[in-house]
């Protein structure tokens, strides 16, 4: 019985491939740009064409349970993978965009196999020695980016659960640092803890009393892309 061939680039036409058959392709994605607290994570993955993983897609379109199932498969079957982060202190010092780019570079540089090209989710690429190519919505178009998205997301979620143990009054295990109404209310009640990103506008505004939480809708969620 012939094994079904998997298309590792379901969202790209072959004419759009920014690489050749000789390239070692690495997918890169981040998790945690928008939250008001904690680090931003990035992952880099080089998949093994001989060991495809079923069900890879943008981590945001998967349930937490499915991400937790796929993450160990990625680590087991990939040719190489690495996860890196930038702390909340670094985010406040250099801004979230630069911190995200730095986390991505750290992830690629931590791989034990050197790729010849890194496919980056989004419209920008970090500056590094490896050739880069950004792909908008790449986490749903390129399996190695999807895999990186899953590793970055599961690693960051685990880190926020750990932060919850240190600062249980904020509920980090529930909202993972995002600006939900619950998080904003806890922030106003308890003030900022050491891992809050003080350069982010919602943190500053809540601490200054300039956001009226009583008028916010129950599903309030303010992503911050500073």
């Amino acid at each position: 019985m012939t094994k079904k061939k998997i298309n590792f680039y379901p969202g790209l036409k072959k004419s759009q491939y920014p690489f050749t058959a000789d390239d070692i392709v690495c997918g890169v994605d981040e998790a945690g740009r928008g939250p008001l607290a904690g680090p931003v994570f990035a992952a880099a993955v080089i998949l093994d064409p001989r060991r495809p993983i079923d069900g890879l897609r943008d981590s945001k379109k998967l349930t937490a349970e499915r991400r937790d199932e796929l993450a160990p498969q990625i680590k087991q079957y990939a040719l190489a993978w690495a996860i890196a982060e930038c702390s909340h202190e670094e985010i406040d010092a250099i801004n979230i965009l630069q911190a995200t780019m730095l986390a991505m570079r750290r992830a690629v540089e931590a791989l034990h196999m050197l790729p010849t090209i890194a496919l980056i989710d989004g419209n920008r690429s970090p500056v590094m020695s490896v050739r880069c190519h950004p792909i908008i919505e790449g986490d749903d178009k390129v399996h190695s980016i999807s895999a990186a998205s899953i590793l970055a997301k599961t690693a960051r979620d685990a880190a926020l659960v750990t932060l919850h143990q240190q600062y249980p009054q904020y509920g980090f295990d529930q909202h993972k640092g995002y600006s939900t109404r619950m998080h904003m209310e806890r922030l106003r009640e308890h003030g900022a803890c050491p891992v809050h990103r003080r350069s982010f506008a919602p943190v500053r505004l809540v601490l200054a009393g300039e956001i009226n939480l009583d008028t916010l809708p129950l599903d309030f969620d303010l992503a911050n892309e500073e």
Side-chain angles (χ1 to χ4, degrees), residues 16 37-38 44 59 74 81 88 107 119 124 140 159 178 207 215-216:
Q16 297 175 313
S59 66
I74 295 165
W81 62 271
H88 61 280
L119 303 183
R124 316 179 185 221
D140 233 6
Y178 284 90
L207 294 179
T215 64
L216 293 178

Side-chain angles (χ1 to χ4, degrees), residues 30-40 91-92 95-100 156 177-180 183-184 187 196-206 211 220-226:
E30 55 76 26
R33 272 188 69 162
L36 307 182
V40 61
I91 292 169
D92 284 340
N95 77 47
I96 185 58
L97 174 60
Q98 295 307 317
T100 301
R156 189 178 189 281
Y178 284 90
S179 51
T180 63
H183 189 187
M184 302 289 270
L187 185 59
H196 275 104
R197 302 173 181 177
R198 285 161 173 76
S199 60
F200 274 39
V203 175
R204 296 196 306 269
L205 293 173
V206 169
I211 291 181
F220 173 74
D221 190 8
L222 176 61
N224 191 296
E225 297 292 337
E226 289 187 4

Side-chain angles (χ1 to χ4, degrees), residues 10-98:
L12 299 180
K13 298 178 181 178
K14 285 195 174 182
S15 60
Q16 297 175 313
Y17 287 5
F19 50 83
T20 69
D22 296 325
D23 275 309
I24 300 174
V25 179
C26 165
V28 184
D29 201 3
E30 55 76 26
R33 272 188 69 162
L36 307 182
V40 61
F41 276 74
V45 178
I46 301 174
L47 291 176
D48 186 346
R50 299 164 300 180
R51 306 181 80 183
I53 301 167
D54 187 41
L56 293 178
R57 64 180 311 192
D58 175 6
S59 66
K60 296 184 292 296
K61 297 180 180 179
L62 299 170
T63 64
E65 292 75 17
R66 185 59 179 145
R67 290 194 297 265
D68 288 340
E69 292 172 356
L70 286 169
Q73 294 182 45
I74 295 165
K75 294 176 180 179
Q76 180 179 358
Y77 296 134
L79 291 173
W81 62 271
I83 301 171
E85 64 183 271
C86 261
S87 68
H88 61 280
E89 294 100 337
E90 290 175 303
I91 292 169
D92 284 340
I94 63 176
N95 77 47
I96 185 58
L97 174 60
Q98 295 307 317

Side-chain angles (χ1 to χ4, degrees), residues 106-155:
R106 286 173 175 169
V108 172
E109 291 177 348
L111 291 168
H112 68 77
M113 174 184 291
L114 183 66
T116 57
I117 184 171
L119 303 183
I120 313 293
D121 181 59
N123 59 1
R124 316 179 185 221
S125 297
V127 177
M128 53 186 172
S129 58
V130 174
R131 179 165 50 105
C132 296
H133 185 85
I135 298 177
I136 295 173
E137 298 180 351
D139 45 10
D140 233 6
K141 296 177 180 178
V142 175
H143 279 187
S144 58
I145 299 179
S146 302
S149 172
I150 292 165
L151 291 191
K153 175 64 174 169
T154 53

